[in-house]
Amino acid sequence: MATAGKNLSDYDKDELPDARQMRIGLVVSQWNPEITEALYQGARSTLLECGVSDGNLLRWDVPGSFELPFGCKKMIHREQPDAVIAIGSVIRGETPHFDFVCQATAQGIQELNLRGEVPVIFCVLTDNTLQQARDRSGGRHGNKGAEAAVAALKMAAL
Ligand SMILES: Nc1c(NC[C@H](O)[C@H](O)[C@H](O)CO)[nH]c(=O)[nH]c1=O
Ligand SMILES: CC(=O)[C@@H](O)COP(=O)(O)O
């Protein structure tokens, strides 16, 4: 089902684990800050709604999505969170750079999951237009940050 067929902010609280003791990291890309800040707020508010303590949220910023894997790896090593949410927004430009950034970021995050013990959630929008990104970061399709927060709690309890 495409995003257009569902709301990214919908979730069932009854399906979620007890999150009161969980420590969740959020690594946020500074590229397209209108989008990444909206994703961060969606993730943060959902985590708080689901019982995570504000003091157990840790935010680090990185320059762009390409730096998300390194930032997540460093946070995991230094802080040992129960899960990390990697937040980014990649919007297609005139050149193939979009493809390289998206592939490298996705591959890097997947390698952290497969090689490590701390789940890293892929909260990276990869859109053709700014409007598509707005639609998925609190617009008509909901907020992917909320979806990522739910995934983080479920994976932290796995
Ligand atoms: N164009 C976008 C970028 N580009 C920057 C890279 O992510 C990286 O920071 C740079 O190549 C230096 O290593 N990043 C995004 O997150 N979103 C974009 O649309
Ligand atoms: C995703 C990107 O790196 C992209 O926004 C850069 O734009 P351009 O391909 O026009 O240089």
Side-chain angles (χ1 to χ4, degrees):
M1 176 188 289
T3 298
K6 70 192 295 289
N7 188 299
L8 294 167
S9 299
D10 288 347
Y11 65 94
D12 182 351
K13 258 191 172 180
D14 294 336
E15 293 181 355
L16 298 183
D18 180 356
R20 286 173 294 180
Q21 301 306 319
M22 290 185 183
R23 294 178 64 245
I24 307 295
L26 302 103
V27 181
V28 184
S29 162
Q30 294 172 326
W31 255 81
N32 300 318
E34 171 197 343
I35 305 302
T36 58
E37 288 306 320
L39 293 170
Y40 169 75
Q41 291 302 332
R44 181 178 182 275
S45 59
T46 302
L47 291 167
L48 296 176
E49 284 165 12
C50 294
V52 177
S53 302
D54 196 13
N56 283 341
L57 296 179
L58 176 63
R59 172 175 172 165
W60 287 6
D61 288 3
V62 295
S65 292
F66 187 87
E67 285 75 36
L68 284 170
F70 181 84
C72 294
K73 182 185 77 168
K74 190 162 188 172
M75 180 185 279
I76 289 167
H77 178 73
R78 186 173 296 176
E79 302 291 343
Q80 294 90 39
D82 295 297
V84 179
I85 302 173
I87 294 176
S89 167
V90 192
I91 298 176
R92 190 180 296 276
E94 297 175 350
T95 72
H97 197 239
F98 170 88
D99 302 304
F100 291 94
V101 171
C102 292
Q103 177 60 29
T105 303
Q107 184 67 35
I109 290 169
Q110 187 63 290
E111 284 180 14
L112 289 175
N113 280 289
L114 297 177
R115 296 181 179 183
E117 296 300 322
V118 175
V120 183
I121 307 305
F122 186 69
C123 185
V124 181
L125 291 178
T126 56
D127 300 295
N128 290 315
T129 66
L130 178 57
Q131 188 56 54
Q132 286 179 349
R134 287 172 172 160
D135 290 344
R136 291 157 176 79
S137 55
R140 64 194 180 101
H141 293 316
N143 193 319
K144 194 156 189 73
E147 179 195 59
V150 169
L153 297 180
K154 290 180 176 179
M155 292 306 291
L158 199 62

